[in-house]
Amino acid sequence: MSPQDRARFFSALEKIRQNGELDRLSKLHVDNADTIHGHPVFLAFHRVFMNDFASALNRADPGVSVPYWDWSLDATNPISSDLFTNNYMGGNGGGDKGCVQGGPFANWQMNIDSPHCLTRKFNQGDSIAPFWPPEALLSMQQTCSQYGALSSGIENGCHGAVHLGISGDMSTMFAPNDPFFFLHHGMVDKLWYDWQMMNPDTRFQMYDNVNYNDPAVSADDTIPGYPNMHVKDALDPRNGLCYVYVKSGSSEAAKRLMQEVNRKSGQNNGPSSTPTGGAPTPKSSDGGPSNAPNSMTSDGPSGAPNSMAPNSATGSNNA
């Protein structure tokens, strides 16, 4: 993610904090907390929630890039990630309350769940316990053959490790107060998407309650907090939500993904065109592999492409 795109993203975040959209998102997450966690709808809800966030940003600044963080690349020593520097997301909180004091969100005042400063309290004091590395994520994706198994594995494993590692607001149900929430859940959604791309003929329709104690579920179920959205509307983001991730977690998923990008390109621009928002071959835009972002191409809420992109270790950006 280029410095210019990063500054634009931070500016859009400040705008949705000031116009109340970030409060709306945090309150929606709090109000539905008991139904969207510990249940099969976990992944589907957060996919729609991320799209809601992207739409809010695009209303503030049409076409702004919407990044995700591949934290698996920083798994061994998360605090070494560039994202925890003041040029990116800022670091640990300070003082008795753990208020964030550096970076673009320094001294942010939040309203949900009650008035307070944005807080972070790393779970190992000045450092963060390790996250799940890429090989562990890929093993989970290859082992899980049903939606529920993947959803519960993500929610109760790698997903929770990041929330608890950063802590502060991130360890509460008003975690969307912290922009790290959206970078993190972009990655969570990508893990589901990569798994779907490993067997796209069946997995983009797959929804079940495996590994959950819920009664039978249906893709026709309404998504909590979004009365006009059903689970089936979130299962395939290539349709409806209109996005794909450019870089996937396995070579087979990457191959299938690029086939899909080319197919979409052929539909929109003719068989020889490349998709709007990015060329098939990734390139670095941050001055080298230590800061290069990954990306997602999307039609966005107004038809403008946007990218889900930064990571702090290695990767590529073709948005």
Side-chain angles (χ1 to χ4, degrees):
M1 197 177 201
S2 70
Q4 294 79 14
D5 284 343
R6 193 161 67 243
R8 188 176 172 186
F9 172 61
F10 293 154
S11 177
L13 282 168
E14 177 63 18
K15 288 178 181 177
I16 68 169
R17 183 179 75 92
Q18 293 183 2
N19 69 17
E21 287 275 50
L22 189 57
D23 284 350
R24 177 185 65 81
L25 290 165
S26 289
K27 188 175 188 303
L28 190 153
H29 194 267
V30 170
D31 289 348
N32 294 279
D34 291 342
T35 54
I36 61 177
H37 300 98
H39 300 284
V41 78
F42 170 75
L43 288 178
F45 168 85
H46 284 92
R47 177 168 282 178
V48 173
F49 190 71
M50 285 296 299
N51 192 66
D52 193 357
F53 167 69
S55 296
L57 283 184
N58 272 268
R59 286 192 293 272
D61 181 0
V64 66
S65 296
V66 184
Y68 74 84
W69 172 31
D70 187 348
W71 34 256
S72 71
L73 301 174
D74 302 309
T76 303
N77 184 21
I79 194 60
S80 67
S81 168
D82 289 345
L83 262 70
F84 291 106
T85 65
N86 288 342
N87 287 332
Y88 284 81
M89 304 290 286
N92 203 2
D96 294 340
K97 296 181 179 180
C99 299
V100 174
Q101 298 175 340
F105 318 122
N107 304 311
W108 263 24
Q109 295 299 309
M110 316 310 299
N111 298 310
I112 308 298
D113 203 17
S114 61
H116 67 284
C117 63
L118 176 64
T119 65
R120 293 180 191 148
K121 298 180 180 180
F122 294 168
N123 65 347
Q124 291 191 340
D126 292 332
S127 64
I128 297 174
F131 300 151
W132 283 35
E135 57 270 22
L137 298 177
L138 184 57
S139 176
M140 175 181 63
Q141 291 169 317
Q142 292 175 333
T143 300
C144 295
S145 60
Q146 294 174 290
Y147 167 88
L150 181 80
S151 179
S152 61
I154 290 175
E155 180 179 6
N156 299 317
C158 58
H159 158 260
V162 176
H163 276 284
L164 296 176
I166 296 173
S167 200
D169 278 31
M170 276 286 282
S171 62
T172 71
M173 288 303 164
F174 43 90
N177 285 344
D178 192 336
F180 259 121
F181 175 95
F182 299 102
L183 271 64
H184 169 40
H185 271 275
M187 176 62 176
V188 167
D189 184 61
K190 179 179 178 295
L191 290 174
W192 180 21
Y193 181 84
D194 287 350
W195 178 81
Q196 292 176 306
M197 288 298 291
M198 291 175 181
N199 194 349
D201 291 341
T202 60
R203 289 182 178 175
F204 280 111
Q205 294 81 42
M206 193 175 289
Y207 183 64
D208 56 65
N209 62 352
V210 172
N211 286 10
Y212 288 97
N213 294 321
D214 291 63
V217 295
S218 167
D220 290 321
D221 293 345
T222 301
I223 294 180
Y226 296 95
N228 296 321
M229 293 288 292
H230 299 87
V231 170
K232 63 186 178 184
D233 299 322
L235 293 180
D236 189 347
R238 302 170 301 176
N239 303 313
L241 301 180
C242 299
Y243 68 86
V244 300
Y245 288 93
V246 172
K247 184 176 180 181
S248 294
S250 74
S251 59
E252 181 60 24
K255 177 181 177 182
R256 291 181 183 274
L257 185 147
M258 293 317 302
Q259 290 173 344
E260 178 64 19
V261 169
N262 290 334
R263 183 180 72 82
K264 293 280 188 183
S265 173
Q267 290 177 348
N268 296 333
N269 303 314
S272 61
S273 300
T274 55
T276 301
T281 303
K283 62 183 180 181
S284 171
S285 66
D286 247 16
S290 65
N291 292 325
N294 293 319
S295 67
M296 174 188 99
T297 61
S298 167
D299 288 336
S302 62
N306 58 65
S307 67
M308 275 203 167
N311 75 36
S312 57
T314 59
S316 57
N317 177 22
N318 63 338

